[in-house]
Amino acid sequence: MAKRRKLQSGKPQQRAQAKPHAKRHHGSSQGPPTAKSNGQPAQAPPKKTQEQHLEPTIPFDPEHKILLVGEGDLSFATSLVDHHFCVDVTATVLEKDLEELSAKYPHVADNIAKIEAEDSRVVYNVDATTMKPFTTSTTATDPTKNNKNSKKGGPGVMDRIIFNFPHVGGKSTDVNRQVRYNQEMLVGFFNHATPSLAPGGAIVVTLFEGEPYTLWNIRDLGRHCGLQVQRSFRFQAAAYPGYHHARTLGVVRNKQTGEVADSAWKGEDRPARSYVFVRKDESSVASTKKRSRGKADDSSDED
């Protein structure tokens, strides 16, 4: 112990000063060689684009109980059960029945068959702004039917509620009115979706980037409804094989023949962003799952 104290009380040893390196001049023979054996200058390997490094963010796990709101042709729901192996998906559509849905999306029957083959389900006539909650007091397939074995008004059962590209449609050509209509729609959705959330659950809303969508101020709308943005990330349609963006009004048809147009606009090619909302009184949310290597295209956006 005395020896240790003596060392501590002594003067600190001075570090040996390193000898200064000789300055390098351009063309000097010192340093690593800069030419190949054939005398040609070495070329740097081509840089990979940032797109190749981005890792898609998947905001759910296969075992999650997932509610999809405002589905169109059900291609997103099909990708979840076929390629992401989700075991419990409830896909809801606004159309009142299969006949009305098929009139908008002629190919939808194939997607429905794939969804139901994996023990998931499709529920018709569900308005995002007025839907009844999915709770322990309702059946798993239809919130309008009560579960006699559960108490009325039980907690929500959905781990994830996903609403991709919500839009009221062409109600007005005036930008300000369109913004207001869509804001009212999102507020109605948030208020009616929150009771369906299981403890620790999250609501995921995906919007196109740029105006007029940035004018909706979705973060403020969620905050007004008792939610906060836990994170946001760039939506990558390629992470969902088979998914195609479906227009609210249905497929684009040739005006003369009535056939589905082959050169229809592809919304999945347009930049979009997903926002993950959680209840303000919940401090954490289940971690998102990433499916490929590389840099995650994700950002922390806590309010």
Side-chain angles (χ1 to χ4, degrees), residues 26-222:
H26 294 291
S28 171
S29 60
Q30 297 181 5
T34 59
K36 294 182 179 180
S37 58
N38 59 3
Q40 296 296 326
Q43 295 182 355
K47 293 182 179 180
K48 293 183 179 180
T49 61
Q50 186 178 5
E51 187 75 17
Q52 292 174 299
H53 291 284
L54 296 180
E55 177 184 357
T57 299
I58 308 300
F60 53 80
D61 290 330
E63 65 273 14
H64 277 158
K65 196 175 185 67
I66 301 173
L67 173 64
L68 302 180
V69 178
E71 279 289 278
D73 65 355
L74 297 168
S75 60
F76 185 78
T78 302
S79 184
L80 262 58
V81 299
D82 263 6
H83 299 280
H84 292 273
F85 308 107
C86 296
V87 297
D88 194 338
V89 176
T90 300
T92 68
V93 296
L94 179 61
E95 289 73 21
K96 63 181 180 180
D97 53 30
L98 176 59
E99 181 180 358
E100 183 178 345
L101 187 63
S102 298
K104 285 186 176 181
Y105 314 106
H107 56 284
V108 74
D110 292 337
N111 290 333
I112 294 175
K114 293 177 181 178
I115 294 169
E116 294 179 344
E118 298 299 330
D119 295 328
S120 286
R121 61 209 64 85
V122 177
V123 182
Y124 300 94
N125 199 29
V126 176
D127 187 328
T129 64
T130 60
M131 64 179 180
K132 295 183 179 181
F134 289 78
T135 67
T136 55
S137 64
T138 61
T139 64
T141 58
D142 192 344
T144 62
K145 298 179 181 179
N146 290 327
N147 185 345
K148 296 180 180 180
N149 297 325
S150 300
K151 295 181 180 180
K152 186 177 181 180
V157 297
M158 296 297 176
D159 299 303
R160 294 292 183 271
I161 301 176
I162 302 176
F163 198 174
N164 289 327
F165 306 104
H167 200 283
V168 296
K171 282 191 173 184
S172 173
T173 57
D174 182 84
V175 174
N176 292 329
R177 289 183 180 180
Q178 275 281 17
V179 168
R180 185 170 67 253
Y181 291 148
N182 282 288
Q183 287 178 326
E184 292 172 352
M185 178 264 296
L186 282 172
V187 169
F189 162 68
F190 284 139
N191 286 331
H192 285 81
T194 303
S196 297
L197 278 182
I203 296 174
V204 184
V205 180
T206 301
L207 300 177
F208 289 122
E209 293 189 316
E211 293 187 358
Y213 304 97
T214 52
L215 301 177
W216 297 4
N217 296 320
I218 189 171
R219 296 171 183 272
D220 292 337
L221 299 179

